[in-house]
Amino acid sequence: MKDSDLDIQSIDPTLYNEDLAPIPHSKRSWGWFEIFNVWSNDIQSLFGYTLAASLFLTYGLNGWAVMAAIILAGVIVMYLVNLTGKPSVKYGVPFPVMIRASMGVRGANFPAMLRAIIGIFWYGVQTYFASTAVALLITALFGAGDGSTFLGLSGVAWVSFVIVWVFQIAIFWQGI
């Protein structure tokens, strides 16, 4: 075999682009603050707190037991997030590329798409729960309205949903 046999003849854009390229060590700018933000974002959510509160209140636990369980869950999530992200941090390679080692070049599309679907679902859940909090605030300040609903939500709930949705879109356009 000659060295010329190993030369790349063409680059498949579905396998390599700027987003999939490794980040050189000199351009990796994350520090403790960014890592903390990822961790805190993973454990602190209105949906998670609502779920935890409803489960624990159903079983009659006191506040200290609920707080201890939330802290324990946060530590477990932090460990798992750090474990799954370690190869990407060490080598500067994004998840869709790292997963190719175990699932193959085309098979890696499946977990990447699952992550995208979960992200879409999670965005919707977070938007709904945040808009519920805004609706409670608006209701406390201005009253509940006439009680009519559309697709199961009141006018205040729809206004709150749109406010939160526009706010999130504005944040995404600015960049995280």
Side-chain angles (χ1 to χ4, degrees), residues 59-108:
Y59 292 107
L61 297 176
N62 65 25
W64 290 109
V66 172
M67 181 60 79
I70 288 174
I71 290 171
L72 177 63
V75 169
I76 291 170
V77 167
M78 179 184 65
Y79 173 75
L80 293 174
V81 165
N82 288 339
L83 182 66
T84 60
K86 188 172 182 170
S88 292
V89 171
K90 184 174 182 179
Y91 300 110
V93 178
F95 172 80
V97 175
M98 285 301 292
I99 199 69
R100 290 176 182 177
S102 61
M103 301 204 66
V105 174
R106 298 290 179 209

Side-chain angles (χ1 to χ4, degrees), residues 5-157:
D5 293 339
L6 300 176
D7 289 341
I8 297 174
Q9 302 299 320
S10 66
I11 295 175
D12 183 350
T14 64
L15 298 178
Y16 180 84
N17 60 43
E18 187 177 319
D19 292 333
L20 297 174
I23 299 171
H25 204 296
S26 61
K27 291 188 178 182
R28 297 183 207 165
S29 59
W30 278 31
W32 70 269
F33 185 70
E34 290 79 11
I35 300 293
F36 173 78
N37 283 332
V38 169
W39 171 74
S40 64
N41 185 42
D42 281 341
I43 65 162
Q44 295 180 30
S45 68
L46 292 171
F47 177 74
Y49 287 137
T50 303
L51 178 63
S54 66
L55 289 175
F56 290 120
L57 293 176
T58 301
Y59 292 107
L61 297 176
N62 65 25
W64 290 109
V66 172
M67 181 60 79
I70 288 174
I71 290 171
L72 177 63
V75 169
I76 291 170
V77 167
M78 179 184 65
Y79 173 75
L80 293 174
V81 165
N82 288 339
L83 182 66
T84 60
K86 188 172 182 170
S88 292
V89 171
K90 184 174 182 179
Y91 300 110
V93 178
F95 172 80
V97 175
M98 285 301 292
I99 199 69
R100 290 176 182 177
S102 61
M103 301 204 66
V105 174
R106 298 290 179 209
N109 290 337
F110 179 69
M113 289 306 295
L114 283 178
R115 284 175 51 143
I117 291 167
I118 290 168
I120 291 167
F121 170 77
W122 197 241
Y123 172 80
V125 167
Q126 292 289 62
T127 303
Y128 173 75
F129 275 91
S131 69
T132 301
V134 172
L136 290 172
L137 176 67
I138 291 171
T139 300
L141 293 174
F142 302 109
D146 63 1
S148 61
T149 63
F150 177 70
L151 297 176
L153 293 177
S154 68
V156 171

